[in-house]
Amino acid sequence: MRGKEEDHKVGATFEADVAVVGAGPVGMTAAALLASYGLSVVVVERNATTSEAPKAISIDDEALRVYQAAGLGERTLRIILPGTGTKYYGADGKALFQARAEVPYRFGHPFKNPFAQPDLERELLAHLHEEPRVQVLMGTELLSLAQDEASVELVCRTTEGSAVVKAAYALGCDGGRSMVRECLSIEMTGRSHDDVWLVADVVGDSHTERFGMHHGDPHRPHVIVPGRDGRCRYEFYLYPGECQAGQEPPFDLVRRLLEPFRPLTPEQVQRAVTYRFNAVVADAWRAGQCFLLGDAAHMMPPFAGQGLNSGIRDAANLCWKIADVVQGRLTGRALDSYETERRPHAEATVALSAKLGRIVMTTNDRFARRRDTFVRAMMATPDGRAYFEHMRYRPPQCYLDGLLETDTGAATGVVIGQPRVFDVEHGRTRLFDDVVGNGWVLLGVGVPETGYQKVYDALRPLSPTVAHVAVGEHLPASSAAPRVLVDVDGGLERELAAYRERYVLLRPDRFVAASWAPHTLPDLVETLSMNRDGATALLEV
C-alpha cells in the first residue's frame, strides 16, 4: 500500500510498539493509554502545533474515566465545566425536558461537560511530552504505509526531510480525511446531509448555564452550549442563499444570528464556519496491523454530543488489547474483537445523531408542533419522563459478542460503574479504578473466602488484580480472603447486585468478560475465545 509519493529519500528512523497517526484528542488519548499500559509509542502529526480551533466542546463521564485510567485525570478536570446535561426547548421557546445522568457520578466524574478543544489538546500534549515511552513528531506528514504480518512501516515527510516510523501496530486517528484510511483503501458508507449549519465560537458571552440548550424552533433551529470563562458556542440552521457549506461566513451574518442573544464584535469571534454534517462509517476498521479510530472510523452529526466521546471509546476498547497482545497475555486474534464490539454501538450512535437532528432541528412547523405535543404527553407519565430525562433513547454501550463469555447466567458485555469504595488493606476510601488499577480484575462478590487460589491459577495468564467484595454489613470471617472492598454509599452494591455470590472477571476497560458461581470453574481459555468452537484460544498459556 502506497500513499502520496512513491519515491522518497529516507532520513531518521523511529521505532515503537505502536505508531499513532494524528495528534488530535483521540490520537493523543490513545497514545497516553498505550503508554499507561507500558508500551512505547510514536505519534505522527502533520501540523506543527496543536489545534487552536474549538471543534469538540463536550466530554462525558465515560471519557473522563478513560483519562483517569491514562493518568490524565487532574489535567482534564481542570479544563472542563462540570455540566448537568442538555435542555430541549419546543417550537414555542418553552422547555420540554432536561436530559441528565440517571445515576449522578456513576462513572466517578461529572456527567456531560463543556470544554475547549484547544485547552484539552495542550494538556494532552504536555502529558505526552512528560511520558518517557512516547515520542511526538509534530510537523510530520504521513506519505505512505506498508505492512506485513508482524509490523507496519510509515514513511513521513518532516520539516527537515523525511523519516520512517516502524512499529508492530499503527492507529489511524487522523480524522475524517484520514491518510491512513486512504493508504488502506478503505471506503466509508453513509451520507452527508444537505442542510447547512453555521457554527460560531465566541468569547465575552453572558450565558452561565451548565447545560447545553437545543432549541427546536422550526423558523431557526439552533443550539447554545455555554463554556468556561465567557466562552459559548452557537449553532444555527442556515437557509438556502445565506451561506454555502465550506464558505467563510461574513461577520454580518454571524452578528445578525446572535443579535437576539448578545451584541457581538469581530474580535469576539474565535471561529465561525459553515458545513454539512456527515453520518458515515468506515467499511472496515482493521486492515492487518492497522486500525482506524475516531473520525477516521466514523463521523456523525453533533446533536447527540458523541463525536469525540465515541472516538475515546474506540481508544478505550482497543489500546488495552494491543498491550495484552504485545505483552503476551492474549494472542493476536483478540484484536479482531475491536470492530466486533465497537462497530454496532458506533453505527447506532451515528443513526441516533442523525435522527435527533431530523426531529429536534426540523424546519417543518406542523411536525414541530406534533413533536412537542408528543413529548409533553410522554413527560406526564413516569416511564415517559424517565425515557427522556435519563436519555434511554441512547443506544446502550454493551457488547453481545467479542472478548467475553455470553452464557454465564449473569450479564456480561456490560460496563461496571466506578463507585467509591473503602479499601480495607490500605484503610482508604477511593474510586474503584484507583484501587484495582488498570489491568484485569477478578472480583469475588460475597463468595467463600477459600476458593480464590484455584480461580487465580486459571486466570494466571492475565495477571488479574484480585479483590473480595464484602456484601451487606459483614466483613469476611477468614484471613484467606484477598484485598477486601467495602461499599460506602450504596454504589458498589448497586453495580454488583446482579453478581452476588459469584466471581466476576472485569476487563481493563471495566466491561464484564465472564461471571460464574463458586461451585463451577469455566475453561476461561475457551471462555475468552471469540471462536466458539474452540479452534484457537486467545489466551497465551
Side-chain angles (χ1 to χ4, degrees), residues 23-25 27-29 31-32 35 43 48-51 67 70-76 78-79 117-136 138:
M28 288 194 283
T29 299
V43 180
T49 63
T50 56
S51 174
Y67 284 130
L72 282 155
E74 290 186 6
R75 284 186 177 275
T76 51
R78 67 191 182 204
I79 58 98
Q117 181 166 326
D119 292 346
L120 177 62
E121 291 197 16
R122 283 191 290 269
E123 293 291 347
L124 291 173
L125 184 60
H127 174 82
L128 295 184
H129 282 323
E130 295 173 0
E131 173 54 65
R133 297 184 181 91
V134 180
Q135 290 179 286
V136 182
M138 303 298 288

Side-chain angles (χ1 to χ4, degrees), residues 237-319:
Y237 175 88
L238 294 184
Y239 286 94
E242 288 188 308
C243 196
Q244 296 181 3
Q247 178 182 346
E248 183 178 351
F251 173 73
D252 284 347
L253 174 62
V254 180
R255 180 190 54 76
R256 176 169 59 84
L257 293 174
L258 269 68
E259 192 171 19
F261 309 100
R262 56 162 295 173
L264 189 69
T265 60
E267 60 271 14
Q268 291 175 316
V269 180
Q270 284 190 309
R271 183 183 74 137
V273 296
T274 56
Y275 59 94
R276 292 186 174 94
F277 300 127
N278 296 304
V280 293
V281 179
D283 295 341
W285 294 18
R286 180 185 187 183
Q289 303 294 98
C290 301
F291 300 85
L292 301 178
L293 294 79
D295 283 356
H298 43 74
M299 289 184 282
M300 62 192 71
F303 302 112
Q306 289 299 301
L308 171 60
N309 295 297
S310 292
I312 293 174
R313 289 192 188 100
D314 296 341
N317 182 285
L318 177 61
C319 290

